[in-house]
Amino acid sequence: MAQSIDTTHVLKFPVLIGDIGGTNARFALLVDSYAEPKEFPIVQTADFANIDEAIQASILDRTSIMPRSAVLAVAGPIDGDEVDLTNCDWVVRPLEMRRTLGLEDIVLLNDFEAQALAVVALGEEHMVKIGAGEAEPDASRVVLGPGTGLGVAGLIHACRTWIPVPGEGGHMDMGPRTPRDFEVFPHIERIEGRISGEQLLCGRGLVNVYRAIARADAKEAPFTTPAEITTAGLAGSDAIAVEALEMFVTCLGRIAGDLALVFMSRGGVYLTGGIAQKIVAALKHPRFREAFEDKAPHSALLKAIPIYVITHPLAALTGLAAYARTPARFGVETRGRRWPAR
């Protein structure tokens, strides 16, 4: 049976909003529909046994404002009353949260649904454009972001409503194309025989690419963290790091182009997250747009699609706040993802 989208519910304020990723959790309180979100320090997920403890210690113990509702974006598929995060040990249990934290209403979204909402909630001052192309105002859009994993979501406009389309597109297969790719890809670490987008295009993916290039050339790979590789790659101080960052950018362009075709995203492709923000200089190199546009027979279509890097440090919270204020503006499916008070 087809599910209808519920845009009639209204959240009771104050609303706790949260963006929970594999490494970091970001929270804010929205006192009413006119107030700016009250932000709190970023939480490391590894520092707490579960989300309930993190919210209690980092939010509720630090303010006299007691939220009545919560809208939380979590990095993983939402299915049932227990939600496992893909790259984190936390399990989100809304029924238990409602009881222990005194909440009347909880809505769970995929973390990249929140990023998709942010695309229409943020202004151009929070974006850097990469290359040419002009966005069609009500056309479909795609948001993707390499971080702890590779998040992907679509955003479509229908019936005067913006509808986020969550998914796990970061786990699509990726394969070699160039002769150099065929030298490096055999050395890339796989998961159950697969090389997915996430095996290349996230923090550990960059390390994976860096090590694979070193193995292909029988060289030492002294760097062990994404930050070290990114810094050396941008500075040009290490040849392997330079090539790793170039391959990372090229593969990101390829998968962004694939997703632009899937969603026919004439409204633009939006890159989000800390990694994209840190490598804007590398993304501005022609190789990124060349990889994005190299989609014969549809290269002309891709050339016309703009690409933006979202630079707002808390973009997902901005999207969640926009939804919490006016749920009817967005076609968010809440059936099976909302836990109101009985």
Side-chain angles (χ1 to χ4, degrees):
M1 180 181 297
Q3 292 185 345
S4 61
I5 293 177
D6 176 15
T7 60
T8 61
H9 74 276
V10 177
L11 292 162
K12 295 179 180 179
F13 290 92
V15 180
L16 171 68
I17 55 177
D19 172 31
I20 297 95
T23 303
N24 300 312
R26 300 166 176 86
F27 295 103
L29 281 170
L30 200 61
V31 177
D32 57 47
S33 60
Y34 299 101
E36 288 299 311
K38 175 181 172 56
E39 298 169 1
F40 291 83
I42 295 174
V43 170
Q44 304 292 308
T45 57
D47 290 343
F48 296 91
N50 54 59
I51 187 174
D52 303 52
E53 290 184 10
I55 291 173
Q56 185 65 53
S58 60
I59 310 299
L60 302 185
D61 290 349
R62 294 170 177 259
T63 180
S64 60
I65 302 170
M66 296 306 294
R68 298 176 66 188
S69 306
V71 181
L72 305 174
V74 298
I78 301 165
D79 183 19
D81 294 332
E82 294 194 356
V83 179
D84 294 284
L85 273 67
T86 303
N87 292 303
C88 171
D89 291 335
W90 284 3
V91 178
V92 180
R93 298 179 174 89
L95 293 175
E96 187 173 317
M97 287 179 65
R98 199 179 62 197
R99 182 175 61 256
T100 59
L101 301 177
L103 296 166
E104 299 178 37
D105 197 355
I106 298 175
V107 178
L108 295 187
L109 306 181
N110 175 267
D111 60 333
F112 265 74
E113 271 185 287
Q115 296 286 358
L117 298 176
V119 165
V120 292
L122 293 169
E124 291 184 358
E125 68 274 16
H126 295 300
M127 300 181 190
V128 173
K129 191 176 182 183
I130 306 294
E134 294 298 328
E136 297 181 11
D138 293 334
S140 300
R141 306 178 183 194
V142 166
V143 57
L144 69 158
T148 304
L150 176 63
V152 173
L155 189 69
I156 62 174
H157 193 264
C159 301
R160 299 182 296 278
T161 302
W162 284 106
I163 303 170
V165 182
E168 293 294 330
H171 296 276
M172 296 187 302
D173 284 338
M174 289 204 73
R177 287 192 57 183
T178 67
R180 181 56 170 166
D181 289 346
F182 278 95
E183 293 175 356
V184 172
F185 269 58
H187 301 280
I188 291 175
E189 180 182 333
R190 302 168 183 241
I191 293 181
E192 297 182 10
R194 294 182 62 232
I195 299 177
S196 69
E198 190 165 285
Q199 282 300 98
L200 304 174
L201 300 173
C202 64
R204 62 179 172 79
L206 178 59
V207 176
N208 198 355
V209 172
Y210 170 76
R211 290 173 175 168
I213 292 170
R215 292 190 194 104
D217 294 344
K219 294 182 178 178
E220 294 295 320
F223 300 134
T224 59
T225 69
E228 291 174 323
I229 297 165
T230 300
T231 299
L234 291 172
S237 59
D238 180 272
I240 300 174
V242 168
E243 185 177 359
L245 188 58
E246 290 174 353
M247 185 171 287
F248 184 95
V249 165
T250 298
C251 289
L252 185 59
R254 290 174 188 165
I255 202 167
D258 290 340
L259 291 164
L261 289 175
V262 169
F263 284 93
M264 199 60 71
S265 58
R266 291 191 172 96
V269 173
Y270 298 79
L271 303 176
T272 190
I275 292 179
Q277 293 168 5
K278 289 182 177 69
I279 63 170
V280 168
L283 293 170
K284 286 184 174 181
H285 190 281
R287 69 171 56 85
F288 175 69
R289 284 237 38 146
E290 288 170 359
F292 176 80
E293 297 169 5
D294 186 15
K295 301 292 178 185
H298 295 297
S299 296
L301 169 64
L302 273 295
K303 287 179 186 294
I305 292 176
I307 303 173
Y308 303 90
V309 176
I310 295 176
T311 56
H312 194 293
L314 299 172
L317 291 186
T318 301
L320 293 174
Y323 170 74
R325 291 188 183 104
T326 53
R329 183 186 176 196
F330 303 100
V332 174
E333 172 58 73
T334 57
R335 186 177 304 178
R337 303 193 298 170
R338 182 187 179 202
W339 289 262
R342 294 288 186 262

